[in-house]
Structure formats: structure tokens, C-alpha cells
């Protein structure tokens, strides 16, 4: 496996480590009901988060890797991004015909600083340049206005609305589908990157 290491102006994206620090960070993220409000799963306990990191590392070791679930850190938090505590989670799930779904989830205390835009920019660069993908897709709850803004700002286009896409807390919710094609990505956002 070639570990993914991406770097933007303020953030770095790396593989998870099976350490107390990374498990705590993932639990801070996925244990917060406000963070998971629009996600397809509810808040998770710490044990589930520890199991998830084990799964992410197994996925990373696959001979033909098709799932990238990665930790996002801030460059300002440590000299080496490998040592910094994750403040967000980023994912790419590959499908057929050189396509992938992307995902991004940030701890609440860092919302509103433009980090999500930087994360999606780095994922786009990695997907289109390093992995040579042709299409990226994202699913967004129709009430998740901040996430819609993140995607549209980067050029993602609306493909449609899926009705009753999720059932949570006794209610159905609809979601939007967005996509970006390789030739629509100017690649101007991110810094360098390596891995694959
Ligand atoms: C949605 C989320 C990723 C946004 O992250 P963020 O780092 O705060 O996003 P950014 O700062 O890059 O950009 C947010 C944009 O949405 C706008 N915004 C924020 N809240 C908004 C709201 N309630 N209505 C409309 N726009 C809103 C901001 O003004 C900003 O727009 P701008 O770029 O024009 O200034 C973050 O809140 C999060 O992790 N939420 C929980 C998990 C989640 O929903 N993930 C996405 C699943 S699709």
C-alpha cells in the first residue's frame, strides 16, 4: 500500500493510525449528534469508532484499493501532519467506470472556516489527477445548506433530488445528488499530493 498524504494551504490528509489519539478524534466527530444530523448513521460510541479505524486500515491494505477513508489534520497543529490530531474525516469510495463518491465530516468547533472547501478540493485533485477518475459524486441532505454551498462553490452540478433517501428519528428525508467531471475540475485549489 502507498499511504495517502495530501497537503493543502492549511490542512493535510493522511491515513488513520490505530492510536488512542485517532480513536478519540473520530469519536469526537462521529459521537456528536449535531455532526451526524445529516449523515446516513447516528452518533457512534468510542468502541464503534475504534472498530471503524480497524476497518479503514484493512481497506487501505486491500490489493486493489477502492475505499479511502482518511484523517484530516491542520498543518498548524504539528510539525509533521502524521502527529497531529484529526479534525475531520474525508472519504472516497470508488465505483465502476472511473467514478467515486466523496464524503467529508468536520468537528463542530472548526465549522465556518472554509476547511470543507479545502478538503473537497484536495479530494478532487487526488481523484482526478492521482487516481485518474472521470466522475465524482456526492449525496447531500436537502436541508444541509452549508454542504450544498461547499459543493456548488467548487463547481459540482446538481443532478437531481432523491425522495425519501434516508429514514432517521422517525422521519424520511430527501437528498440531492451532485457531481463533478474531470474536465470540469480546474485543479486550482490544492497544493501537492502523493499516494494512491
Ligand atoms: C457541512 C460542513 C462539511 C461544512 O463545513 P465548513 O468547513 O463549515 O464549510 P466551509 O466553511 O468550507 O463552507 C461553508 C459554506 O456554507 C455556508 N453556510 C454555512 N452554514 C450555512 C447555512 N446554514 N445556510 C447556507 N449556507 C451556509 C458558509 O457561509 C460557507 O459559504 P461561503 O464559502 O460562501 O462562505 C460541516 O458543517 C460538517 O462537517 N457538517 C457535519 C457533517 C456533514 O454534514 N457533512 C457533509 C455531508 S454531505
Amino acid at each position: 500500500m502507498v499511504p495517502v498524504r495530501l497537503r493543502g494551504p492549511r490542512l493535510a490528509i493522511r491515513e488513520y493510525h490505530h492510536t488512542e489519539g485517532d480513536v478519540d478524534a473520530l469519536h469526537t466527530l462521529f459521537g456528536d449528534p449535531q455532526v451526524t444530523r445529516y449523515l446516513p448513521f447516528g452518533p457512534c460510541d468510542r468502541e464503534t469508532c475504534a472498530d471503524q479505524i480497524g476497518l479503514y486500515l484493512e481497506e487501505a491494505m486491500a490489493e486493489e484499493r477502492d475505499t479511502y477513508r482518511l484523517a484530516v489534520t491542520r498543518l498548524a497543529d504539528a510539525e509533521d501532519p502524521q502527529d497531529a490530531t484529526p479534525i475531520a474525516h474525508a472519504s472516497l469510495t470508488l465505483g465502476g467506470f472511473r467514478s467515486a463518491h466523496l464524503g467529508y465530516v468536520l468537528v463542530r468547533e472548526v465549522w465556518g472556516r472554509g476547511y470543507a472547501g479545502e478538503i473537497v478540493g484536495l479530494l478532487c485533485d487526488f481523484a482526478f489527477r492521482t487516481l485518474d477518475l472521470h466522475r465524482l459524486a456526492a449525496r447531500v441532505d436537502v436541508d444541509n445548506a452549508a454542504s450544498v454551498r461547499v459543493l456548488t462553490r467548487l463547481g459540482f452540478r446538481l443532478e437531481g433530488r432523491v425522495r425519501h433517501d434516508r429514514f432517521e428519528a422517525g422521519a424520511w428525508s430527501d437528498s440531492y445528488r451532485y457531481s463533478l467531471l474531470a474536465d470540469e475540475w480546474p485543479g486550482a485549489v490544492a497544493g501537492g499530493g502523493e499516494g494512491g
Side-chain angles (χ1 to χ4, degrees):
M1 152 202 172
V2 181
V4 175
R5 287 184 189 149
L6 311 175
R7 192 182 271 256
R10 294 179 296 169
L11 304 174
I13 299 185
R14 63 159 168 83
E15 304 290 346
Y16 277 98
H17 305 145
H18 216 314
T19 57
E20 295 293 305
D22 275 18
V23 173
D24 284 341
L26 194 64
H27 184 225
T28 300
L29 195 57
F30 287 169
D32 181 344
Q34 281 204 52
V35 168
T36 61
R37 182 170 169 203
Y38 297 121
L39 301 183
F41 55 86
C44 303
D45 59 25
R46 193 178 183 285
E47 199 184 333
T48 305
C49 292
D51 291 346
Q52 283 295 302
I53 290 185
L55 174 68
Y56 302 164
L57 296 178
E58 272 176 33
E59 290 167 348
M61 299 299 288
E63 206 164 309
E64 289 205 15
R65 187 172 187 182
D66 60 7
T67 309
Y68 294 82
R69 293 198 266 190
L70 303 163
V72 182
T73 63
R74 279 189 291 215
L75 295 178
D77 287 346
E79 219 164 274
D80 183 346
Q82 297 297 320
D83 300 332
T85 303
I87 51 103
H89 173 85
S91 65
L92 271 182
T93 310
L94 274 56
F97 302 105
R98 291 164 54 216
S99 70
H101 270 86
L102 61 84
Y104 41 92
V105 186
L106 287 74
V107 293
R108 214 179 338 143
E109 66 177 30
V110 306
W111 289 1
R113 301 181 192 182
Y115 286 166
E118 187 170 330
I119 293 167
V120 176
L122 286 166
L123 289 176
C124 289
D125 250 16
F126 178 60
F128 292 134
R129 291 177 165 181
T130 306
L131 300 180
D132 193 29
L133 298 186
H134 179 69
R135 170 188 151 84
L136 277 178
R139 168 204 169 280
V140 188
D141 189 287
V142 294
D143 292 325
N144 195 348
S147 190
V148 165
R149 177 78 186 130
V150 167
L151 293 172
T152 51
R153 205 161 179 249
L154 287 169
F156 279 73
R157 298 204 198 160
L158 181 63
E159 293 188 327
R161 178 174 181 140
V162 178
R163 298 183 302 151
H164 288 197
D165 196 30
R166 191 172 70 108
F167 186 78
E168 197 64 47
W172 289 102
S173 54
D174 295 359
S175 64
Y176 293 128
R177 292 291 189 272
Y178 281 88
S179 70
L180 186 71
L181 303 180
D183 62 4
E184 294 164 347
W185 175 242
V189 174
E194 59 186 77

